[in-house]
Amino acid sequence: MLHGVGLRNAASQLMNEGFSTLYRGIYPPLFQKTISTSLMFGTYDAIQKPLLESNLNSRLAKVIAALVAGTAEATLTPFERVQTLLQNNHYNKNFINMRHAIKVIATDYSVSEFYRGLTPILLRNGPSNISFFLLREAANSYIVIPPTPNTPNT
């Protein structure tokens, strides 16, 4: 039982709404995650390297690089906005799919509608990226990867 809905009621709801409604908001996070991971690591490395070369404190360089990487990820806010609209039952009749939602928002609203919720996303991304990169470094220092034997050139 999830959200107080029994199995029979859930199956009935699924039959009434259709199976496609169950996964309406799945494409935006799939697209976002693919781009987001590359953007996060790429930005982090691109920012951290010159900071370290300028003899900035190592930990501070990592914090700044992680914060900038989190801010760069926030450029993907439109994917989260579309996902939210597609997963909200209130908008089932307004949007057919991801492409339709993007088209309606772009034509009927301003670009700022895509970035609704940007502030909470920035407040989430910065601290979470800082935590991720600092904890990742700490975890990597405890993981010992055995050396691989050198293979002779043939």
Side-chain angles (χ1 to χ4, degrees):
M1 185 176 295
L2 181 65
H3 299 291
V5 177
L7 182 59
R8 288 184 188 180
N9 288 341
S12 174
Q13 184 178 355
L14 184 59
M15 294 299 288
N16 290 335
E17 292 179 1
F19 193 74
S20 62
T21 305
L22 184 62
Y23 292 103
R24 273 175 55 89
I26 197 147
Y27 289 117
L30 288 176
F31 291 132
Q32 179 191 15
K33 190 61 179 169
T34 304
I35 300 166
S36 173
T37 304
S38 299
L39 188 61
M40 178 179 75
F41 283 104
T43 304
Y44 178 79
D45 288 339
I47 298 297
Q48 181 192 22
K49 192 174 193 172
L51 292 175
L52 291 174
E53 288 172 356
S54 70
N55 295 325
L56 187 66
N57 175 287
S58 172
R59 187 169 297 278
L60 182 58
K62 289 174 176 134
V63 167
I64 292 170
L67 191 59
V68 172
T71 303
E73 280 184 276
T75 60
L76 302 174
T77 298
F79 286 114
E80 290 192 47
R81 180 68 181 136
V82 171
Q83 175 189 2
T84 300
L85 292 172
L86 289 174
Q87 290 180 336
N88 188 326
N89 290 340
H90 179 74
Y91 298 106
N92 278 355
K93 292 183 173 39
N94 299 53
F95 306 113
I96 299 167
N97 54 30
M98 182 176 126
R99 181 179 292 175
H100 183 248
I102 291 170
K103 182 181 176 186
V104 169
I105 293 169
T107 57
D108 295 353
Y109 302 92
S110 68
V111 173
S112 64
E113 183 64 25
F114 283 112
Y115 288 92
R116 182 181 284 197
L118 178 62
T119 302
I121 289 170
L122 286 169
L123 293 172
R124 175 197 67 197
N125 285 4
S128 68
N129 275 10
I130 292 169
S131 300
F132 172 78
F133 282 108
L134 291 179
L135 291 173
R136 178 175 169 253
E137 178 188 6
N140 283 342
S141 69
Y142 289 106
I143 296 172
V144 178
I145 300 173
T148 57
N150 291 337
T151 55
N153 292 338
T154 55

